Every structure is written in C-alpha cells, then in structure tokens.
Amino acid sequence: MSNASDDEFHNFMTGRWASLVRTAYLLTGSHHDAEDLAQSALARAYAKWDKVRHSDDMAAYVRKIMIHVHADGFRRRTVREWFTSRLPETAVADRTAQVEHRSVLVDALARLPLRQRSAVVLRYFEDMPPAQIAAALGIRESTVRSQITRGLAGLRDDGVLAEHPQEGRTHPSDSVALKGMPR
C-alpha cells in the first residue's frame, strides 16, 4: 500500500475504533474479546483496503467483516474452561445500578442466537436501518425485520426489559444501561 493509503487507513481506524469496539463488545460481552474482534476486523480490512475504501460505506463494510469474523469464531470455538480441584475466587458484584443494568442487558443479548443478536445490536445500538443491516449480514430485509422482532421477543421473554424498566425509554438503545459502555 502507498503512504496515502496507509494514512487513509490510519485515519479511518482511529476515527472508528471506539464505535467498532462498542459494537464488538455488544456482540461478545467481553472487553478483551471485543478489542480482539475489532482488531481482527481491521486487520482483514487493511489486507483489502483498496476494496474497502472504494465501497459506498467503509464503516458498514468493516462492520460486516467484524460480524463475519465473530461468526467464524463460533465455528472454530474450542472449550475455554478447565476442570480444577479448587474453586475459583468468589466474584464480587458491582453495586452500581448502571453497571447492573448494563450487565443484565449484555447477558440477555448473549443468550440470543447469533443472527438475532447481530440484528438487534446493529439496529438499536448502531442505529442502522434494516436495509443496511441486511447488506451487512448478507440476508434479506424481511429476514432482518423478523430477526429483530424475534430478538426483542426473546429479550422480553428473558424478562430483561420488564425487570429493568426505564421511564420514558422507547427502545433498548435508550437504556441507562448503555451509558458508560465503551465508545
């Protein structure tokens, strides 16, 4: 790549890093995994930067790469737990309501199937319209709408939306739980 392309990629990467990590966090539920996912997506984007920079929406293109990298991780998933003879240290719960709400929401998102979670995250946390989500996920717009509907129903059935109501909130992205998330 030329120096101009390198500079263009660097500017894109630094400008979109926080948004990519936030989306990756909502997909993975872990700050470490989110940073790894965003970094992997940017590495793949760098490898085909000429194609990315000539796309209609570079950010959407890289988000699509990130979703594919995340899905690939599920296909190659290995057991990440080991049996030991001693119990782990007792976890101490964070006592702030904000973190509690966020944790509950992230946990509920993690229990959704991958496609539903991806559609809900892109719609309500990235404010993408269904047409753009369909392009990012490589599915039809009607499928996106049904995945969002099923995902929200899953969140309601899980009780996360009922147990942590937010006055005057219209959808999950308005939730106080999102304040303090990595940006």
Side-chain angles (χ1 to χ4, degrees), residues 2-91:
S2 68
N3 280 343
S5 292
D6 279 345
D7 291 341
E8 186 180 19
F9 176 78
H10 182 266
N11 291 336
F12 172 81
M13 179 189 66
T14 56
R16 295 298 299 171
W17 175 253
S19 174
L20 289 172
V21 171
R22 182 180 59 242
T23 301
Y25 178 79
L26 292 167
L27 290 171
T28 64
S30 163
H31 289 288
H32 298 292
D33 292 341
E35 288 180 353
D36 288 345
L37 179 59
Q39 196 171 38
S40 296
L42 286 170
R44 287 192 185 181
Y46 182 79
K48 47 176 141 174
W49 182 244
D50 284 337
K51 189 173 182 180
V52 173
R53 72 184 185 137
H54 288 96
S55 67
D56 293 334
D57 185 355
M58 293 188 302
Y61 196 103
V62 174
R63 274 194 304 270
K64 184 175 182 178
I65 291 172
M66 186 166 53
I67 290 167
H68 286 269
V69 169
H70 182 59
D72 290 346
F74 274 98
R75 291 184 196 111
R76 290 188 301 256
R77 181 177 275 186
T78 60
V79 176
R80 293 168 42 166
E81 298 176 3
W82 294 272
F83 295 107
T84 63
S85 60
R86 57 190 166 99
L87 294 174
E89 295 179 20
T90 306

Side-chain angles (χ1 to χ4, degrees), residues 79-141:
V79 176
R80 293 168 42 166
E81 298 176 3
W82 294 272
F83 295 107
T84 63
S85 60
R86 57 190 166 99
L87 294 174
E89 295 179 20
T90 306
V92 177
D94 193 348
R95 304 204 188 282
T96 63
Q98 182 179 2
V99 174
E100 178 184 333
H101 289 246
R102 181 180 62 212
S103 296
V104 169
L105 182 59
V106 170
D107 290 345
L109 282 170
R111 287 189 291 273
L112 291 176
L114 178 63
R115 190 181 280 181
Q116 289 177 15
R117 179 175 51 232
S118 298
V120 168
V121 165
L122 292 176
R123 177 67 183 110
Y124 292 107
F125 297 99
E126 286 294 323
D127 292 326
M128 291 173 60
Q132 196 174 8
I133 296 169
L137 296 177
I139 56 178
R140 294 185 319 203
E141 195 171 336

